[in-house]
Amino acid sequence: MASKLNSDALSDNYMRIQFASRSENESFARVAVAAFVAQMDPTVEQLTELKTAVSEAVTNAIIHGYEEGPGEVRIECRIRDGTVEVVVEDDGVGIADIEQARQPMYTSRPELERSGMGLTIMESFVDELIIDSAPGRGTRVIMRKTIAPKREGH
Amino acid sequence: MAMEVHKVDGVLVVRLQGELDHHVVEQIRDEIERELAWVRHRALVLSCRGVSFMDSSGLGLVLGRYRSVSSHRGRMALCEVGPSLMKLFELSGILKIVPVFPDEEQAIAHVKEA
Ligand SMILES: Nc1ncnc2c1ncn2[C@@H]1O[C@H](COP(=O)(O)OP(=O)(O)OP(=O)(O)O)[C@@H](O)[C@H]1O
Ligand SMILES: [Mg+2]
């Protein structure tokens, strides 16, 4: 029998995708999330911001997590009361110092012409950004963005 | 990835097109660098009119070209930057080092002054 928590979770709308860690999938990933979120009736600006944040997280998984080698990237997207939660996950090298990684302009790969702005962009384009990572254990990025104001009495 | 390139009086004008993400920027960078050699890296205008999407990979492309041109004591300008790109440029601090103009003509005039 489903617990209270499970039945709450079941009432959310969600989608999951998993794909090979290849740069040609970056555009697929952001477009898939945008297509799912379209049902929330977002503004063009909200959709652009979300697509950009997803693109940053997926690109980081591919470039840093898997160092452009083989691997799998997973995305879970959940809609709850006008807020969308997007989780982007890799099983790559992980991040040793998350605070340092979040500094604007910090990049571990300057030779690749990275600007070190990805996490800063994500932070400013979503309402909440949580990074869960440890060396050798992969990285999980959780982003929450409110699309519509909370409905009254529901 | 289509990209239009032309030269006006020693100025390289690049009309960027489509989605500037990690998947496409490396090829675009190499192509711009190749073309820049023809104007001895002295003057570059990047028109963003045709850009439909950009993330930090695109920022890296713009910043990298700025570094490349300024290391040859050249000048660079951006033009036709839409509102969502402008937000990215503002966030990244690019606007403090690279001037933005409403159209190509003004951008070309700026990089030609020396
Ligand atoms: N999924 C990940 N796996 C491992 N390391 C990561 C991951 N995401 C981010 N990092 C680390 O955090 C740093 C900062 O990430 P951020 O996206 O801000 O900058 P960047 O990717 O280096 O440059 P940019 O995003 O501007 O192209 C990276 O350089 C990398 O060291
Ligand atoms: Mg990044």
Side-chain angles (χ1 to χ4, degrees):
Chain A
M1 202 172 139
S3 70
K4 171 81 170 66
L5 197 76
N6 275 343
S7 54
D8 275 356
L10 282 174
S11 68
D12 295 341
N13 194 5
Y14 69 91
M15 71 89 160
R16 277 192 204 112
I17 49 176
Q18 54 193 72
F19 52 89
S21 179
R22 298 169 65 117
S23 66
E24 54 267 54
N25 288 334
E26 289 158 0
S27 121
F28 159 71
R30 61 178 179 262
V31 170
V33 171
F36 180 69
V37 168
Q39 65 188 290
M40 300 173 80
D41 216 4
T43 64
V44 174
E45 191 185 5
Q46 287 172 327
L47 215 48
T48 302
E49 290 177 344
L50 193 65
K51 273 169 81 174
T52 310
V54 168
S55 197
E56 296 297 349
V58 170
T59 302
N60 279 351
I62 294 172
I63 295 180
H64 305 297
Y66 295 117
E67 299 170 318
E68 312 207 47
E72 183 177 272
V73 182
R74 291 179 296 277
I75 297 181
E76 180 172 318
C77 206
R78 196 170 278 279
I79 297 171
R80 188 179 295 153
D81 288 337
T83 295
V84 59
E85 178 181 279
V86 185
V87 180
V88 178
E89 200 176 51
D90 67 66
D91 307 313
V93 297
I95 305 173
D97 187 342
I98 296 177
E99 210 180 307
Q100 178 189 49
R102 289 180 87 136
Q103 295 297 318
M105 322 266 266
Y106 170 79
T107 178
S108 54
R109 308 296 301 275
E111 76 284 5
L112 294 180
E113 278 197 356
R114 308 313 305 179
S115 58
M117 288 303 296
L119 291 173
T120 306
I121 291 169
M122 287 159 70
E123 244 163 40
S124 76
F125 283 7
V126 300
D127 298 311
E128 196 181 348
L129 173 71
I130 300 163
I131 300 168
D132 183 11
S133 184
R137 295 227 324 263
T139 299
R140 215 171 125 84
V141 172
I142 303 162
M143 300 179 270
R144 296 199 185 98
K145 189 173 177 67
T146 299
I147 301 297
K150 235 185 181 143
R151 275 172 299 149
E152 296 292 316
H154 118 109
Chain B
M1 167 77 194
M3 168 178 95
E4 252 180 69
V5 174
H6 61 271
K7 294 168 202 96
V8 197
D9 296 337
V11 178
L12 180 71
V13 181
V14 176
R15 291 183 185 146
L16 297 166
Q17 242 132 51
E19 310 209 322
L20 296 187
D21 66 7
H22 162 236
H23 183 59
V24 300
V25 290
E26 279 159 38
Q27 198 190 323
I28 297 170
R29 172 197 63 203
D30 293 348
E31 210 166 318
I32 296 178
E33 283 298 317
R34 230 178 0 255
E35 295 287 340
L36 270 173
W38 292 99
V39 296
R40 291 175 294 120
H41 284 73
R42 292 313 295 267
L44 172 66
V45 168
L46 292 180
S47 167
C48 299
R49 183 181 187 163
V51 176
S52 52
F53 175 85
M54 184 192 270
D55 62 19
S56 65
S57 304
L59 291 179
L61 175 77
V62 174
L63 277 170
R65 302 296 64 70
Y66 172 74
R67 289 201 192 100
S68 160
V69 167
S70 32
S71 74
H72 291 81
R73 288 198 237 137
R75 286 158 75 100
M76 172 176 159
L78 293 159
C79 67
E80 305 212 45
V81 175
S84 53
L85 252 63
M86 198 59 110
K87 214 156 47 181
L88 280 183
F89 288 155
E90 255 162 34
L91 252 178
S92 65
I94 284 180
L95 295 186
K96 291 189 197 121
I97 52 174
V98 186
V100 177
F101 295 92
D103 59 45
E104 266 179 30
E105 259 161 61
Q106 292 175 57
I108 291 170
H110 173 83
V111 296
K112 267 202 320 211
E113 286 169 19

